[in-house]
Amino acid sequence: MESLKNKVAIITGGAGGIGIETAKLFIQEGAKVMLVDLDEDLLKAEIKKIGGPNIRYCVADVSKELDVSRYVSETLKEFQKIDIFFNNAGIEGVFKPIADYPEAVFDKIIAVNLKGVWLGCQKVIPKMENEGSVIITSSVAGLKGFAGLGAYVATKHAVIGIMRVAALEFADRKIRVNTVHPGPVNNRMMRSIEEQISPEDSKIAQENFEKTVPFKRYAESKEIGEMVLFLASDKSKYITGTKMIVDGGMTIV
Ligand code: NAD
């Protein structure tokens, strides 16, 4: 039986690696999906590949209040309700020590990774059906420090606080709120970080990163999506306010 039959999901960062692979899993399981992203070309290309009546998109900036209200109203117009909210859009910023970190990049990363998650919780959850599920994408960078990624690490720790408070505030409606914590994932974001560390040879950077993962490889975006699917489905209906780590063992030590 389809585990998300008749459910409606919003996925922010929906054109990115984790977002689109999660959307495919949701659709296979019977959900209708609204993808939200800044990148319209990528959204169009991905939706063309998936096809069918159960996927729509909205071009919106998660850090802008009016855009957030618009993706909520477009979802309700298109699909009439919201059961699942994958609050996932994020950016990596630049790879620099705190002492050299540019203020403008700090402000931008706070706007997208922190305020975007906050606004999503503020505008989407009150409109959700009872017994819905919210999944916020944090990272292993929400659980430990990574030199050079200070602003990113700060935001990924901070969203755990939002998750915990939202889990408490919406518990009376049995809306569950959890975070997912991927380790390095084999997609655009990780390539961008590797290139900044070692632009001349990102393969060396990749090998160095992989050494820090006991499984000696990056996750595939779909492997993160499988955890999100579990959290979205009734199989996790007693799980709220918690952190689900999908990292090939990276945070064991
Ligand atoms: P990605 O870069 O492929 O996807 C991110 C998507 O977010 C992109 O499509 C981008 O256009 C979109 N986006 C960026 N700013 C936006 C904004 N202001 N409004 C709307 N959309 C915006 O990378 P991904 O790995 O799919 O990232 C998804 C989430 O996973 C992020 O929160 C990221 O921090 C987190 N994460 C990624 C990794 C990794 O190694 N890739 C590891 C841990 C956590």
Side-chain angles (χ1 to χ4, degrees), residues 11-13 18-19 22 85-90 113-114 117 134-140 142 152 155-157 159-160 163 178-182 185 189 224 228 244:
I11 301 181
T12 68
I18 294 173
T22 304
F85 178 35
F86 184 25
N87 198 348
N88 166 69
N113 295 10
L114 181 53
V117 167
V134 180
I135 304 102
I136 296 171
T137 308
S138 176
S139 167
V140 289
Y152 184 79
T155 59
K156 294 299 181 180
H157 276 71
V159 296
I160 297 171
M163 174 273 283
N178 295 288
T179 43
V180 64
H181 298 258
V185 183
M189 182 175 287
I224 312 307
V228 180
M244 305 300 263

Side-chain angles (χ1 to χ4, degrees), residues 12-19 36-39 42 60-63 88-92 108 112-113 137-140 152 156 181-190 221:
T12 68
I18 294 173
V36 176
D37 206 288
L38 274 179
D39 190 332
L42 207 50
D61 182 340
V62 297
S63 69
N88 166 69
I91 55 174
E92 67 278 13
K108 176 82 185 157
V112 179
N113 295 10
T137 308
S138 176
S139 167
V140 289
Y152 184 79
K156 294 299 181 180
H181 298 258
V185 183
N186 183 21
N187 66 25
R188 187 214 60 81
M189 182 175 287
M190 205 53 214
S221 296

Side-chain angles (χ1 to χ4, degrees), residues 32-46:
K32 297 182 170 73
V33 175
M34 175 64 80
L35 296 180
V36 176
D37 206 288
L38 274 179
D39 190 332
E40 185 163 21
D41 292 342
L42 207 50
L43 281 168
K44 278 188 177 156
E46 292 296 347

